[in-house]
Amino acid sequence: MKDLSQQGTQTAHGGPSFLVREGEIVETRQGGGYARLRVVLAPPFAAPMPMPEPGQFFMVRLPWGPALPRALSPIAAGDGWIELFIKADGLLRGEMAAAPPGTRLALRGPYGTPFVRKANLERRYVLVGGGAGVAPILHFAAARPDLVASLALGFRTPGVRALLPGADVAVEEEDGTTAFGRLAETWQDGLGVIACGPLPLLAAVSRDARWSPAAYVSLEARLGCGFGACLGCTIPTPSGRKRVCVDGPLFACQEVPWLG
Amino acid sequence: MARVDVHSAKGSFRTPIVLASGPAGFGCDLARALDFRRIGALTTKTITHEPREGNPQPRIVDAPCGALNSIGLENPGVARFRSEVMPKIRALPTARIVSIAGRSADEVGKVAGALEGEPGVDWLELNLSCPNVRGETVADRPDAVSEYVRAVRAASSRPLLAKLSAGGGLVALADAALRAGADGLTLVNAVRGLRIDVETGKALLARATGGLCGPAILPIALAAVYEARRAFPEAFLVGTGGVVTARDAVEMLCAGANLVGVGFGVMADPAAVFGLAEGLERWLDARGVADVAEVVGAAHRGGWRVP
């Protein structure tokens, strides 16, 4: 595992990988409009595959589908496998969520800058995840417990709980609590915030002066190529235009003042 | 092994596979891991006189059998392109087609003029048909096409392609471009399209409409190339639109393209694009065709099997 994670680091900084690897969906669980897929990477490619660090993503598609691949950050990853957590809608994700075990996926990556290369590591964080945005948040929480003060995860409907065993999830439909509400309850002076989820959640996080100097948001722009060439995902920042796929997906709130 | 090198009066290409303007950026990211000797030419992102920020997010959405994009010609402007980008792409072992555009004939002339002394600019491609910028789609008026092409021709000695969109009046527009001094045509640009989020009733792209690319437009591009080849038997044609496999590339060649551009495919699976030339060689070998030139325009003469 150690070797694999080092390869992931090299990929992030030594240049992108364009190798398309095959993965097989071995288990799918559905609930609350979401799906959690366990994907085993095909044996010939399992060994040399750089494993994704939290915050990195794969460009994923069905091998036969004439659609652009979708950028997906794993919710968990290990030796030769990853787990994806996706909203079961859209052309590609809907088909992926409904696919029977044995279905093959084509994966390219990992791409993107790992969270730990952007966040200040002198600090501990409240990790905020809304909807499919909980995926990189839980991956990060498992990989770097030393950086985590608490978790604030939220969904609209309760059906998703079965897909997130052991996670304490706020459900707005049940009692009005949200990921943002949990953040506001648990945040204390000195803690930072790392958030991933829908734009309104990220906007609310970045607007709040209590933590915004130490807050980061992981943006979910629709990507084209995933490796920095097509400029489908560029955003304005005070230091010029940045590409979400290469310079992000994590950005300090000061880098994206337009968000709030 | 079949020959796949392509020769025209204005230049040669190692393979007929060309990276179309846009998805490949300036090729630098791809060049870190992929072999540009398998690519006939890199077409750069479109360069304008001043830097442009492009359109707001979202700029890309899915579409059945393709994608809608709305980048809006984000680029560093011709001065920074020359100082920062050209030094990198000059070293790539392939031909370079620099795509240019502007809001007026005067602007495209200035961009072409600024590139005139630049080593490594092998061809220019005048983008007359970007669907994602306001007031710059001049490719529906033959007089405007003629004016823009003449402005570039006056400012530049480089071989010049005029990039047009599919649709009515193609032959008249192509005729205007060729008469004004273009050395060839790139057909087609992304096709204007729209998608709507039914949950909100709003357009999915920030700028509402975008350009449809991907396999959805392959038949449209094939028809445009076919029509242009029939009207201009000697013209140099780059067929672009929806090609993702070697088989698609063969179709484009048979329709009459000399070169085959790939855009969407670079986003879907870039390594596969760099394997297209080999796939094409294998396709030709399997059928005993010695030179790719034998299939170019085959659809106009009863097929490639006829001697």
Side-chain angles (χ1 to χ4, degrees), chain B residues 192-283:
Chain B
R192 217 154 71 96
L194 170 70
R195 291 214 63 212
I196 289 174
D197 179 350
V198 294
E199 297 304 330
T200 63
K202 294 194 288 193
L204 281 163
L205 289 172
R207 218 175 148 273
T209 60
L212 177 63
C213 59
I217 69 166
L218 176 63
I220 295 171
L222 286 169
V225 167
Y226 183 84
E227 192 182 359
R229 175 56 71 212
R230 194 172 50 189
F232 308 103
E234 304 302 321
F236 190 69
L237 301 182
V238 185
T240 298
V243 171
V244 293
T245 66
R247 193 188 178 86
D248 299 336
V250 173
E251 277 198 73
M252 195 61 92
L253 294 163
C254 289
N258 301 94
L259 299 177
V260 178
V262 185
F264 173 89
V266 173
M267 296 190 283
D269 186 348
V273 176
F274 282 70
L276 283 177
E278 195 188 331
L280 180 59
E281 285 164 354
R282 279 201 305 268
W283 190 95

Side-chain angles (χ1 to χ4, degrees), chain A residues 108 222 230-232 234, chain B residues 45 57 59-60 62 74 267:
Chain A
R108 158 162 86 70
R222 184 63 175 88
C230 78
L231 306 188
T234 62
Chain B
K45 271 206 175 286
Q57 290 289 338
R59 293 177 170 189
I60 296 185
D62 283 322
E74 175 171 347
M267 296 190 283

Side-chain angles (χ1 to χ4, degrees), chain A residues 230-232, chain B residues 45 53-55 59-60 69-74 132:
Chain A
C230 78
L231 306 188
Chain B
K45 271 206 175 286
E53 297 220 322
N55 293 329
R59 293 177 170 189
I60 296 185
N69 80 80
S70 167
I71 311 298
L73 303 186
E74 175 171 347
N132 296 321

Side-chain angles (χ1 to χ4, degrees), chain B residues 4-6 13-18 37-41 259 277 281:
Chain B
V4 294
D5 45 327
V6 177
F13 303 86
R14 222 182 246 129
T15 81
I17 305 301
V18 170
R37 286 172 299 190
R38 300 311 291 156
I39 295 295
L259 299 177
E281 285 164 354

